[in-house]
Amino acid sequence: MKKQLPLMLCMAFLLFAGKANSQNEDRPWLLGFGIHFVDYTSVDPMFEGLYDTKDFNSVPGISKLDIGRSLSKAFTLELSLAAATVNKSGDRTSGTEFFADVDLLGKFNFINKTKCWFDPYIAVGPGYSKYDTEGSLSLNAGIGSNFWLSNGVGVRAQTMYNASSSEAVGDYFHHTLGLVLRFGTGKDTDKDGVVDKEDKCPTVAGIEKLSGCPDKDGDGVADMDDACPEIKGLAALKGCPDGDGDGIADKDDSCPELAGLAELNGCPDKDADGIADKDDKCPELKGLAAMSGCPDTDGDGIADPNDQCPKEKGTSAMAGCPDRDGDGVADKDDKCPDVIGLKTNNGCPAMDVEVIAKISFAAKAIQFETGKDVIKKASHAKLDTVVNIMKKYQFTSWSIEGHTDNTGNAAKNLQLSKDRAASVKKYFVNQGIDAGRLTSEGYGDTKPIGDNKTSKGRAENRRVEIKLNE
């Protein structure tokens, strides 16, 4: 059984080695010292009274020295020097012999926590033992643990089994209880002064305050965490700049030079209508999204800037204006807004040529007393005909023009023509025609239609004309 123990411990090592993780990469060197106890009496039968202190043999004071070096994440190589005064039978009264032991041990830690205070391990390795005058090679296997009180100071408890090649030396257990110190500098792959264990970027040279990671733009944000590693920025924005100071990184800001709102991708909205000024056709007026940020006061679906009648509900065909009679002429331009008319006639229906001719004929038949603006009674019937037509065509407006021949004083003739046109207008108004539909003017002898050298021509020139306004 005792010869099989080292083999069993080696097999245990193989099971744990794959999961092992060195606790000392940052401090690879280890120095241990303490008390070393040798126990021959617990070997046969195996483990009987293993930790019975009555069987322990040791040299008073410090009798054990360990020097170790971490070689990888899983493996530590350690040289142990130990001494004791030993009596194999455990009976110290019958005399003791000097005992010395030198071991080269491979130790494997198997707890995966870098800062764990409990640091157990298994150990296997060759050694050389000397008992009295006899010496022999040996194979060691055992277990132990470091209990770290701080980052560099701990307590060690260890038990090893030594299988000796010499019957004179024999097999034995030896126990250690003492202090361990770890020190030194760990592996630094990128040579940036931060050991790999503490380096978040172990293969790229960086700076200590960023745990060994680089910061190309010098903004205090490690490149690995920097969304804008080439441009100096803010930590709050993952290393990206914010030129307008609105809390939105320039790379995500649709208006990087103007402070704006997060909900509008960093763009301002002066009128607070929810539409960014850059997209708002009316940035100073609160409007609707459907109107590109412009208001629609009359609610006709046409934005006020494009609405020729912004306070009256209209149609797009009429540029936002109403068209009550539906004749295609907006009410504002329709001289007959309640009567279907023609676009060519300002929204009014066209008058028959016969009607216009009748008015013209009646106007030419109007007679005045000689040299006066008094209308003869014989002309009233003709004028009443015109009045009836005007009343029928309420949407029309008329110009009344007075003319004379060139007989006599021109200035007097001009005044007379004005007075006669005014008399006709007055007659129409007295018959119920709205004065707003009528204008009157006199032109004297300036617009003759006949030859003033003949009596017939002068008679043609003395006239009143009633014209339909376009």
Side-chain angles (χ1 to χ4, degrees):
M1 176 67 180
K2 65 181 182 178
K3 298 297 183 180
Q4 295 177 350
L5 182 59
L7 178 60
M8 294 171 64
L9 292 173
C10 287
M11 292 177 64
F13 153 68
L14 293 175
L15 292 174
F16 285 111
K19 298 182 180 179
N21 193 12
S22 172
Q23 307 302 302
N24 302 311
E25 288 184 275
D26 55 339
R27 296 172 182 238
W29 287 99
L30 181 142
L31 178 64
F33 50 91
I35 302 174
H36 176 249
F37 303 98
V38 177
D39 179 7
Y40 274 98
T41 61
S42 299
V43 174
D44 192 14
M46 184 65 74
F47 301 124
E48 183 175 322
L50 178 61
Y51 292 108
D52 186 350
T53 58
K54 294 179 181 179
D55 301 328
F56 287 4
N57 297 274
S58 180
V59 174
I62 297 175
S63 58
K64 178 74 180 295
L65 178 65
D66 299 320
I67 301 173
R69 177 68 162 85
S70 176
L71 300 181
S72 71
K73 290 183 178 181
F75 183 71
T76 299
L77 188 64
E78 192 169 293
L79 177 67
S80 294
L81 306 174
T85 54
V86 174
N87 182 293
K88 287 185 178 183
S89 66
D91 182 5
R92 296 184 181 84
T93 61
S94 62
T96 59
E97 300 295 339
F98 181 75
F99 175 91
D101 183 77
V102 179
D103 299 321
L104 183 62
L105 302 175
K107 293 190 174 182
F108 304 88
N109 299 331
F110 51 87
I111 284 191
N112 258 334
K113 294 184 180 178
T114 302
K115 295 184 178 180
C116 183
W117 66 271
F118 179 51
D119 186 16
Y121 57 84
I122 59 176
V124 178
Y128 178 81
S129 302
K130 183 174 179 61
Y131 178 73
D132 192 10
T133 60
E134 296 292 330
S136 72
L137 296 175
S138 60
L139 178 63
N140 293 269
I143 59 173
S145 181
N146 299 315
F147 302 89
W148 296 109
L149 306 177
S150 69
N151 218 17
V153 179
V155 175
R156 168 173 288 184
Q158 175 180 290
T159 293
M160 299 292 295
Y161 179 81
N162 183 295
S164 176
S165 62
S166 168
E167 291 293 334
V169 175
D171 296 348
Y172 56 88
F173 284 99
H174 50 132
H175 314 292
T176 300
L177 182 64
L179 292 176
V180 284
L181 306 174
R182 53 186 178 186
F183 56 93
T185 302
K187 185 178 181 181
D188 181 11
T189 302
D190 54 19
K191 309 300 180 185
D192 60 2
V194 182
V195 295
D196 289 356
K197 186 176 180 182
E198 297 177 355
D199 198 330
K200 291 183 179 179
C201 305
T203 60
V204 183
I207 55 180
E208 184 176 0
K209 69 177 182 179
L210 293 179
S211 300
C213 289
D215 177 19
K216 285 184 285 190
D217 55 18
D219 58 6
V221 181
D223 291 347
M224 63 183 290
D225 301 319
D226 198 329
C228 304
E230 306 289 339
I231 308 172
K232 191 172 185 177
L234 305 173
L237 296 178
K238 295 184 178 181
C240 289
D242 177 17
D244 54 19
D246 58 5
I248 301 162
D250 289 350
K251 71 181 183 65
D252 302 319
D253 198 328
S254 296
C255 302
E257 297 179 356
L258 298 172
L261 307 172
E263 57 268 28
L264 294 178
N265 295 324
C267 289
D269 178 17
K270 286 185 285 191
D271 55 17
D273 58 4
I275 298 143
D277 291 347
K278 71 182 184 67
D279 301 319
D280 198 330
K281 292 184 178 178
C282 302
E284 306 289 342
L285 298 172
K286 191 171 185 176
L288 306 171
M291 299 287 107
S292 298
C294 290
D296 178 17
T297 304
D298 54 19
D300 59 5
I302 301 164
D304 288 356
N306 302 321
D307 196 330
Q308 294 185 14
C309 302
K311 296 182 180 180
E312 296 179 89
K313 194 170 185 177
T315 63
S316 57
M318 295 291 104
C321 290
D323 177 18
R324 291 198 302 270
D325 56 18
D327 59 4
V329 180
D331 291 350
K332 71 181 183 65
D333 302 319
D334 197 332
K335 293 184 178 179
C336 305
D338 297 306
V339 179
I340 296 175
L342 304 174
K343 291 181 180 179
T344 55
N345 200 32
N346 297 317
C348 292
M351 293 184 67
D352 293 339
V353 175
E354 292 82 0
V355 175
I356 296 174
K358 186 181 289 187
I359 292 174
S360 179
F361 177 78
K364 291 179 180 179
I366 299 172
Q367 297 181 4
F368 297 89
E369 292 185 8
T370 304
K372 298 180 180 180
D373 60 358
V374 178
I375 301 171
K376 291 183 178 181
K377 291 183 179 181
S379 298
H380 287 183
K382 298 294 184 181
L383 290 174
D384 289 341
T385 297
V386 176
V387 168
N388 290 334
I389 293 173
M390 289 182 174
K391 287 182 177 181
K392 181 177 180 181
Y393 295 93
Q394 291 286 337
F395 54 83
T396 57
S397 62
W398 305 85
S399 298
I400 304 169
E401 299 179 358
H403 302 273
T404 67
D405 60 22
N406 64 351
T407 302
N409 183 274
K412 289 183 178 181
N413 286 338
L414 177 61
Q415 187 58 51
L416 178 61
S417 66
K418 290 179 180 290
D419 293 342
R420 285 181 171 177
S423 293
V424 174
K425 176 181 177 182
K426 182 178 179 182
Y427 184 90
F428 291 156
V429 171
N430 289 339
Q431 299 302 312
I433 303 302
D434 185 354
R437 296 172 59 196
L438 305 170
T439 59
S440 66
E441 187 56 79
Y443 297 95
D445 60 4
T446 60
K447 295 184 178 182
I449 60 173
D451 188 355
N452 278 317
K453 293 180 180 180
T454 65
S455 58
K456 181 180 179 182
R458 289 191 293 273
E460 290 176 350
N461 290 335
R462 295 189 297 273
R463 70 195 186 279
V464 171
E465 294 182 354
I466 303 174
K467 296 180 178 180
L468 176 67
N469 291 333
E470 297 296 334

